[in-house]
Amino acid sequence: MITSLNINQNINDKTFEFIQEHLKCENDIVFLHEVPKDGLKKLEHNNLQYLEPYYPNTAHFKTVAIVKNKNCFENMELQPFILSQKNRIIFLLQSRTTKKQEIVTDLIIGIHAPASNHPYQDSSVIPFWTSFIDMMKHIVPYKCLNFYGINKKIQDIVIIDDLNVYAPGTERKRFFNRLLSIGMVDLWIEHNNPNHHYTYENGKNCARLDYALISDDSWNSYNINIVDDTRGNNGFTDHSALIIERK
């Protein structure tokens, strides 16, 4: 099970209850986005293991992957190829055994893409998306990491995230469509769910910002669910959680 949630820079008792509920076995991952520096200390205080981006801790918050056993994953140092906002993305390799008893490796990427709500953020949106898409062009079609000097064949590619993408005609939506065009699919839509099911709520502002993208030859091996209880008056953040599982 892979879970993704933007916690809006706040970790409290409800956050920890959510983590424990969705971290049941050694193969499970809970991606948290917008984890502040003091939030990392809280995770450690509660004896939670997490993986973080290979990059200096300069950002106010970052994306982390909470796991039961770090030894079940390989944290890949691919952040240098991202031109901005490197603390927002983490690359993990996870091995598993198929029904045919073959051992394969999946690439799982947790992302919190930058938004451009303020003029000073505009410079980070374009280089982030451009460099990420250029990177994925060397990975998705070939299902390997050889271009980056890593001799590793990939079975499934999973990108689970807060992409801050919603409005057609915007720069971010165009980047999103370019990402799909290289061989990724929007799992929520492919399972015949409505695009207007929003995952973000802040007063009257609502949008679908959170996505699970799967390589187009394996998307039908996954189920997806959106948990809305995490947001709203009774929630603990302004985002819904995404949960995907192999069938």
Side-chain angles (χ1 to χ4, degrees), residues 54-85:
Y54 276 110
Y55 198 69
N57 192 19
T58 56
H60 178 63
F61 56 74
K62 61 173 59 177
T63 289
V64 302
I66 302 173
V67 297
K68 272 191 172 294
N69 186 352
K70 289 184 179 181
N71 295 327
C72 294
F73 305 89
E74 185 175 353
N75 191 359
M76 304 301 298
E77 191 174 1
L78 293 175
Q79 282 80 9
F81 300 100
I82 304 297
L83 297 182
S84 70
Q85 306 289 326

Side-chain angles (χ1 to χ4, degrees), residues 107 132-148 152-157 159 178-184 214-217:
L107 175 62
F132 180 66
I133 290 172
D134 286 345
M135 172 186 286
M136 298 310 292
K137 283 180 179 178
H138 295 295
I139 298 175
V140 176
Y142 309 105
K143 289 294 192 72
C144 70
L145 297 171
N146 292 356
F147 185 84
Y148 299 99
K152 187 75 70 173
K153 185 171 178 59
I154 303 300
Q155 182 73 17
D156 295 352
I157 300 172
I159 304 174
R178 284 173 56 190
L179 180 58
L180 295 181
S181 72
I182 64 176
M184 303 298 295
I214 313 291
S215 41
D216 58 9
D217 59 350

Side-chain angles (χ1 to χ4, degrees), residues 25-227:
C25 68
E26 290 194 339
N27 292 325
D28 291 343
I29 309 172
V30 176
F31 286 105
L32 295 185
H33 310 286
E34 288 196 25
V35 180
K37 292 180 180 179
D38 66 334
L40 298 176
K41 295 179 181 178
K42 291 180 181 179
L43 295 177
E44 295 167 2
H45 180 74
N46 281 267
N47 298 316
L48 289 171
Q49 297 187 50
Y50 65 88
L51 299 162
E52 58 184 322
Y54 276 110
Y55 198 69
N57 192 19
T58 56
H60 178 63
F61 56 74
K62 61 173 59 177
T63 289
V64 302
I66 302 173
V67 297
K68 272 191 172 294
N69 186 352
K70 289 184 179 181
N71 295 327
C72 294
F73 305 89
E74 185 175 353
N75 191 359
M76 304 301 298
E77 191 174 1
L78 293 175
Q79 282 80 9
F81 300 100
I82 304 297
L83 297 182
S84 70
Q85 306 289 326
K86 294 177 174 63
N87 279 307
R88 292 174 175 261
I89 184 167
I90 184 169
F91 303 88
L92 301 179
L93 291 179
Q94 181 182 37
S95 296
R96 58 180 170 85
T97 302
T98 68
K99 294 179 180 179
K100 297 181 179 180
Q101 298 303 305
E102 299 173 333
I103 298 176
V104 298
T105 301
D106 298 329
L107 175 62
I108 304 169
I109 305 172
I111 299 182
H112 175 210
S116 57
N117 295 324
H118 305 287
Y120 71 83
Q121 291 181 325
D122 288 344
S123 61
S124 68
V125 173
I126 294 176
F128 180 93
W129 273 100
T130 301
S131 56
F132 180 66
I133 290 172
D134 286 345
M135 172 186 286
M136 298 310 292
K137 283 180 179 178
H138 295 295
I139 298 175
V140 176
Y142 309 105
K143 289 294 192 72
C144 70
L145 297 171
N146 292 356
F147 185 84
Y148 299 99
I150 303 169
N151 185 19
K152 187 75 70 173
K153 185 171 178 59
I154 303 300
Q155 182 73 17
D156 295 352
I157 300 172
V158 176
I159 304 174
I160 191 163
D161 42 53
D162 171 5
L163 284 183
N164 279 310
V165 167
Y166 54 96
T170 61
E171 193 77 52
R172 282 172 286 164
K173 189 69 171 184
R174 294 189 188 102
F175 279 126
F176 176 78
N177 290 334
R178 284 173 56 190
L179 180 58
L180 295 181
S181 72
I182 64 176
M184 303 298 295
V185 300
D186 183 341
L187 188 61
W188 180 253
I189 296 300
E190 290 298 327
H191 280 297
N192 298 315
N193 294 301
N195 189 43
H196 61 263
H197 185 132
Y198 59 82
T199 63
Y200 166 79
E201 179 183 17
N202 187 356
K204 294 183 179 180
N205 296 321
C206 302
R208 180 174 175 241
L209 302 183
D210 303 87
Y211 299 80
L213 310 181
I214 313 291
S215 41
D216 58 9
D217 59 350
S218 52
W219 70 268
N220 202 32
S221 299
Y222 292 84
N223 289 320
I224 183 171
N225 186 32
I226 294 179
V227 179

